[in-house]
Amino acid sequence: MSDPALETLLLPLETEAVELAPGAKVLFLRARAGRELAALQDQETLCVQSFAPDRDALVKAGFRVEAETDEDGFDAVLLLPGRQRQEARAQLAKAVSSAREGGLVIACAPNTEGAKTLESDLADLMGGSEKLSKNKCRVVWHRVAADALNRELLEDWRALDAPRPVLEGSYISRPGIFAWDRIDPASKLLAGLLPETLKGRGADLGTGFGYLARAVLQKAPKLTTLDLYEAEKRALDLAEQNLAAFKGQKPLTGIWSDVTKGIDGPYDFIVSNPPFHQAGRAERSDVGQGFIRAAAAGLRPGGDFYMVANRHLPYEKTLGEVFATVIQLADEGGYKVIRAVKAKGGR
């Protein structure tokens, strides 16, 4: 699958608009894998990625990957910022802070996802910026000069995506997480329809900051254990914090992984509000279909799968292929809630 932002990010190096000496120390924030990374083959590169599918692809490509880092003094810092503005500014400030004096900061965003703002933000922080455009994206860069940095802005922006109380203090969350400062209406609809009869070993696929898992823990006294699957480690860390009060009552396990690659099991029940976006704005129904197949494989025979999705997403065919019974429990507010039961024969 093509990645226009990644391809454009490496343009300054490929066109020799900027140069890096062989063996340069490079940090790549929100890194993604792709053939374009061949431009970094002679460098000492550390990739920072807290999203499990991208982490896995980078590891497979042979890169050193960390969920986060406090290292600094890099000769160059590359960044593919998130779409949420507070998170993107915090990431940009992190990039600038991680580069040495004279080091390069290079960042790229699609034109429809804040490229113009990224250019002005970089200039505000560093005292200037240069740019190239291609693939409907814009890459911007500048070298760090201590006397040109806006240090007050730098410190303010570094704190923009810090964890904080939300929803009148009932949860801790942070910008950049899905529905970070609100209860997602789809999850709320599903939570209201979960039966109190849920029992045994359960899992929440795509747990986010823990809203749906908390609903299960509050509603199902016969639950014995609950596993929390989440691809974004920043969200998983929040979920574990938000569910800490239940740790002494029920065994809870956070699992940082790509659900579409499979889950542990067998589970007696699984709940999920599957994501349908990854990098970029395009809908990815294949991700939700991967969640459905993983849930079916991870349930015991006769186990229940409760899911919610946007009404228009094409999940029924996949559900019918891997579950014996598929029942729509609700269709309201643009969302559908489905209960699927795995065949007792194992289908």
Side-chain angles (χ1 to χ4, degrees):
M1 187 175 296
S2 66
D3 191 335
L6 177 61
E7 181 180 339
T8 309
L9 176 71
L10 277 300
L11 268 183
L13 295 173
E14 293 171 350
T15 61
E16 299 183 346
V18 297
E19 293 185 4
L20 288 177
K25 187 180 177 185
V26 176
L27 177 66
F28 189 177
L29 299 174
R30 274 299 183 193
R32 299 201 291 265
R35 57 181 175 77
E36 294 81 9
L37 294 191
L40 303 177
Q41 63 185 357
D42 296 328
Q43 315 306 338
E44 181 187 335
T45 303
L46 170 61
C47 295
V48 171
Q49 181 53 264
S50 56
F51 185 58
D54 289 330
R55 173 206 62 190
D56 295 345
L58 287 161
V59 169
K60 185 177 180 180
F63 286 92
R64 182 164 68 102
V65 187
E66 303 289 348
E68 56 186 350
T69 185
D70 292 324
E71 288 186 47
D72 57 17
F74 289 90
D75 299 307
V77 182
L78 310 181
L79 169 64
L80 292 171
R83 296 198 306 267
Q84 205 278 341
R85 189 168 185 180
Q86 290 171 279
E87 180 195 23
R89 282 181 161 170
Q91 291 170 339
L92 188 59
K94 169 71 172 173
V96 174
S97 300
S98 300
R100 65 167 175 81
E101 173 73 10
L104 278 164
V105 174
I106 308 174
C108 180
N111 294 338
T112 57
E113 296 178 22
K116 187 175 181 180
T117 299
L118 177 63
E119 180 183 0
S120 62
D121 283 350
L122 185 69
D124 287 344
L125 281 178
M126 302 187 70
S129 68
E130 299 175 70
K131 69 177 179 181
L132 285 171
S133 295
K134 190 177 180 180
N135 307 311
K136 298 182 180 179
C137 298
R138 185 179 311 190
V139 56
V140 298
W141 70 91
H142 205 62
R143 290 192 179 273
V144 174
D147 57 357
L149 289 179
N150 187 330
R151 296 193 178 276
E152 182 177 355
L153 197 61
L154 193 64
E155 291 306 309
D156 287 347
W157 285 7
R158 282 202 68 169
L160 282 178
D161 72 340
R164 70 204 64 180
V166 297
L167 299 166
E168 299 181 341
S170 54
Y171 292 89
I172 303 296
S173 189
R174 63 191 302 184
I177 302 302
F178 172 70
W180 77 274
D181 60 351
R182 60 188 174 87
I183 299 301
D184 173 61
S187 292
K188 185 175 182 179
L189 179 62
L190 174 57
L193 290 169
L194 293 175
E196 296 180 1
T197 53
L198 292 177
K199 61 182 179 179
R201 187 182 181 200
D204 178 7
L205 308 187
T207 200
F209 64 70
Y211 168 77
L212 196 55
R214 183 185 286 187
V216 171
L217 288 161
Q218 291 172 333
K219 201 167 190 177
K222 294 184 179 180
L223 168 76
T224 56
T225 65
L226 187 63
D227 287 347
L228 315 171
Y229 287 86
E230 175 54 51
E232 176 52 65
K233 190 174 187 301
R234 296 161 77 248
L236 183 60
D237 291 345
L238 293 166
E240 291 180 325
Q241 185 174 353
N242 287 324
L243 300 172
F246 295 93
K247 276 268 186 180
Q249 304 171 29
K250 307 284 184 180
L252 303 176
T253 303
I255 301 172
W256 178 34
S257 74
D258 178 359
V259 163
T260 66
K261 303 300 184 186
I263 61 175
D264 295 333
Y267 294 104
D268 296 293
F269 71 90
I270 294 173
V271 301
S272 185
N273 178 1
F276 56 96
H277 293 281
Q278 288 193 353
R281 295 179 182 273
E283 287 190 358
R284 293 280 307 276
S285 61
D286 61 305
V287 178
Q289 289 161 353
F291 270 56
I292 292 166
R293 294 185 185 281
L299 281 166
R300 64 163 177 77
D304 291 314
F305 178 47
Y306 291 86
M307 70 169 290
V308 64
N310 289 48
R311 178 187 294 145
H312 69 278
L313 291 172
Y315 291 154
E316 282 74 11
K317 182 176 184 293
T318 305
L319 285 160
E321 289 172 353
V322 294
F323 285 100
T325 304
V326 179
I327 304 166
Q328 184 165 293
L329 301 179
D331 180 355
E332 59 183 83
Y335 305 106
K336 55 190 174 187
V337 175
I338 294 169
R339 177 193 176 208
V341 184
K342 186 170 180 175
K344 292 192 175 179
R347 178 188 169 202

